[in-house]
Amino acid sequence: MRTPVAYYLMLSGILFMLGTVGVLTRKNALLIFMSVELQLNAVNLSLVAFSRLHNDLTGQVLAFFSMVVAAAEVVVGLAIIVAIYRRRRSVDVDDVRELRW
Amino acid sequence: MVSQAHGLLWLLPALPLLGAVVNLFWGRRLGRYAGWLASATVIVAFGVALALMSQLLAKPAEDRLFVQHLFSWIEVGRFQVGADLRLDDLSMTMVLVVTGVGALIHVYAIGYMANDPRYGRFFAYMNLFVFFMLMLVLGGNYLVLYLGWEGVGLCSYLLIGFWFDVPENAEAAKKAFITTRIGDTLMLVGLALIVFRFGTLDFDAVFGTAGSVLTKDAATVIALLLFAGAIGKSAQVPLHVWLPDAMAGPTPVSALIHAATMVTAGVYLVVRSHVLFELSGVALTVVLVVGLITAIYAATCAIAQQDIKRVLAYSTISQLGFMFMAAGMRAYAVAIFFLVAHAFYKALLFLGAGSVIHGMHDDQDLRDMGGLRHAMPITFATFAIAALAQAGVPPLAGYFAKDAVLEVAQHTGRDAVYVLGSLAAFLSAFYLGRMLFLTFFGRARSDAARDAHESPPVMWVPLAILGFGVATAGWLNTTPEGRLAEFLREVTGLGPGGNGLGVLELSGIAVGLSLAALAVTWWIYGSGRVDPFAFRERLEPFPRAALHGWYVDRAYDTVLIQPAKAAAWITAYVVDARIIDGFVNAIGFSVRRLADRGRVVQTGFVRSYALVLFLGAVLILLYVGVRL
Amino acid sequence: MPLDNVVFWVFAPISVASAIGMLLVRNAVHAALFLIVNFFCLAVFFLLLDAPFLFAVQIIVYAGAIMVLFLFVLMLLGVDSNVPIRERLLVQRPIAFILGAGFVVELFLAIRAGVGFATKAPDAFTANEGGNTQAVAKVLFGQYFFPFEVTSILLLVAAIAAMVLAHRRTRAVTQAEIDAAEDDHQEPAPAYDAEAAS
């Protein structure tokens, strides 16, 4: 390994930041969801990089679990979005604002 | 004095209490019998009193003291008060007066209240009153006395306002209670001081050690506080204003409570506590002055009253003033004798007035009466006896009593008191004569007077008995050192001695004044040669002022009552409604406004929530980073 | 130049660019495709970091299953085009960018203070003894066996939840009904009842 670990970590951070900006900025629920996936992946990258640094497989196993849970989460989240869409004919998150003053 | 325990003292107050309880719960079912039951309890109590009296007389003078300890009432540390009854010469006298006169009035009331729908309750209250009065005079310590004191105040309130559907009666009852309350509260402070100084309220303990425990000033304060209670209860100036209004109650009530018994409780208190008053000296002078002022003031008011009962009310106030005068001059036995005589003739006057009112179909105005002696001969006879007795015509009881008071004044060198007292006596005879002649002589001035009739026997028999008592009671104490004084000596001590004008001169002056007054009133009111109403007109504005008690009531209203009402109104409608409620409402209102401003944060947009979340995360990271 | 360096510096920009692209495009399907590109880059990174098992899993699960699921839903709902609507929260974008930049700066400082930019991973990755997959299996079924079982239940629950959430009450339209409707020259009843969907 010739590249310093820090580069992977910076890359992970940049990707995470981009994912967050996507979550905060987009109006389409599905696009927001996709940005969340980007965030999760960025974290996975970071986990694996640390695993390589410390010579411990725990990081990889955690990344694995993260993927499994992300899969489950995507399933449920998309089901919810579909259910909302059936009600309102829209996936704009700004339209779901009943919990307000 | 050596005291002996007696097992049956409790019977005296228990009998009327039983009557009260029975009438309270089953009065309606008893119907007519309620009145007879109530009278029976008091009559039996009188019988028991006579029996006790004979037992008492059997003992030598130093041993005439029965006590009975019922139970331990208060036990707090070293302060103990027992429910103690005490029968000595003084309380024996009072008990006989209360039960004797009380029994006659109860019988009279059977007839007087016969058609009243709340008949049973009336007699329950009357019996309850007798119970409390007996507790008052039989008490062996100040607390039992105070129990009776408050109790008679309560019964007075209940009985004055007995016909409470008429608002004025309820007002009068309230006025009586509140006015006497002022005195009662001061008296309670006095009791507290006694506890503070003596550690006990027992009569023997207090009076026995008072000389060594109290300073002169402390004794003055305590005595004056106790006297304040007496001023209230016995309607002396300045707390006298409730008694004329109390005439709103039924006439038997006026007779029993406001003539014979409750109002005399103040005199009893002063005589009982004379040790404290004598220690003080100043207090006795205060008693004398208050009594004198009251006697003259009330007599001037009595002259101008148009309601027959109000004349008697002011007369009672004035006569009580005489009793306090006697007490203030250390002639306690004279004061008690005056009390006994007054109980008889005042009760008789009231019952007679009740008979007149009954015959006049509830018209009480003197201006409507006239010539009733033909229609109501028995009432007239007994009323005349009582009036002459109070006016001081010998050999009736009042002559001896009043004569004794004036004699003491003259003999102890109090010439001012003698002269003013004689003036008050003259005025007494005047208003009595006026009342007598306006009512029973001349021509009838209204239809009610023309149709008047005599009362039923159940009403005039007590009148006759009382009349006999009035005529003969003088025998009890023909001089200031007479039989009653002798009897009371153990309790009251010797009367003041002194020298001055002889008995004949004094009697001559007194009787002369009384007869002069009666002659003048005969001329103005009874003979028909003078028009009394025109005569009154010419003297205006004095009659109207006297009629209104020299506007004392109005003064109290302006100075005390209206400001108090205004303060109450302000407190209720300004402070409570606007300020306090406003404050509380403002809190609620401002919370609401704050919430209104605050809830805008809940926009409902998920994205803004996420933004805030992220902002928080960044800040936390910043903080952690800086710390590390 | 060492090979891993080259590979890193080729794929890093691609991944960042695809992420930015995902953010900027209007069409949702295009965004999904950009994301897939990103995932592939990440898979390569895993390979670079001596995690071949994860490389494979990333492609199979993320790119192959999850993104396909996304695309299915996108197609099903037909919300591919991002219609530009008036932005109601005006402060959202600027603050998001500022915070993002700040976050990156923080991260930079944290990494510099922590790991340090010079640290390189040791050459030998002994944890991969006996092959990466076998080593991962050893740890997974050994030390992390309990979480493994729990996640399997989690997947089951997620599947049930999805079925419940997405279930709709529809009548199965039989052939007989379709024929009867055609005979009456009427439209067959729609299989999907918009009003009843709840």
Side-chain angles (χ1 to χ4, degrees), chain A residues 20 24-27 93-94 96-97 99-101, chain B residues 599-600 602-607 609-611 614:
Chain A
T20 312
L24 296 175
T25 323
R26 299 292 242 180
K27 285 210 291 292
V93 289
D94 284 347
V96 192
R97 55 186 302 231
L99 227 62
R100 56 175 280 198
W101 58 265
Chain B
R599 65 181 178 159
V600 183
Q602 299 264 335
T603 57
F605 289 122
V606 179
R607 290 191 290 146
Y609 297 164
L611 184 63
F614 185 48

Side-chain angles (χ1 to χ4, degrees), chain C:
Chain C
M1 286 258 288
L3 188 59
D4 53 346
N5 244 345
V6 172
V7 174
F8 176 79
W9 282 109
V10 167
F11 278 96
I14 298 177
S15 75
V16 173
S18 66
I20 293 175
M22 188 204 90
L23 286 187
L24 293 181
V25 292
R26 290 198 194 284
N27 193 324
V29 176
H30 294 174
L33 293 173
F34 271 120
L35 196 58
I36 293 177
V37 168
N38 194 51
F39 287 166
F40 271 110
C41 296
L42 281 176
V44 169
F45 288 135
F46 289 156
L47 202 55
L48 278 177
L49 288 169
D50 290 316
F53 174 66
L54 280 177
F55 155 77
V57 169
Q58 171 84 352
I59 295 177
I60 296 171
V61 171
Y62 254 111
I66 292 179
M67 291 317 297
V68 170
L69 188 58
F70 261 107
L71 284 166
F72 265 121
V73 172
L74 276 170
M75 285 182 341
L76 188 67
L77 304 186
V79 285
D80 37 2
S81 59
N82 204 4
V83 180
I85 314 171
R86 174 184 59 87
E87 171 65 73
R88 274 195 265 190
L89 300 169
L90 290 170
V91 293
Q92 193 82 352
R93 279 229 171 103
I95 293 190
F97 283 130
I98 293 172
L99 283 180
F103 178 74
V104 169
V105 168
E106 276 180 4
L107 204 60
F108 174 78
L109 295 171
I111 294 176
R112 190 169 64 146
V115 182
F117 276 98
T119 319
K120 298 191 172 80
D123 283 333
F125 192 36
T126 53
N128 266 352
E129 207 77 18
N132 178 250
T133 313
Q134 288 85 336
V136 167
K138 259 198 210 128
V139 177
L140 188 61
F141 296 117
Q143 191 180 355
Y144 294 100
F145 185 61
F146 182 64
F148 171 75
E149 292 295 334
V150 171
T151 44
S152 63
I153 296 176
L154 173 69
L155 286 171
L156 183 64
V157 169
I160 296 172
M163 275 193 279
V164 168
L165 280 170
H167 180 69
R168 55 184 181 178
R169 298 186 198 88
T170 52
R171 273 182 320 112
V173 181
T174 59
Q175 187 61 39
E177 286 179 7
I178 295 176
D179 293 338
E182 277 180 2
D183 287 342
D184 293 341
H185 298 290
Q186 282 170 355
E187 298 251 354
Y192 169 56
D193 190 345
E195 262 61 50
S198 58

Side-chain angles (χ1 to χ4, degrees), chain B residues 421-446:
Chain B
S422 301
L423 173 65
F426 175 80
L427 291 172
S428 296
F430 192 95
Y431 63 68
L432 284 167
R434 171 177 177 264
M435 187 172 52
L436 185 68
F437 296 129
L438 272 180
T439 309
F440 294 103
F441 287 76
R443 282 189 299 139
R445 289 183 285 275
S446 71

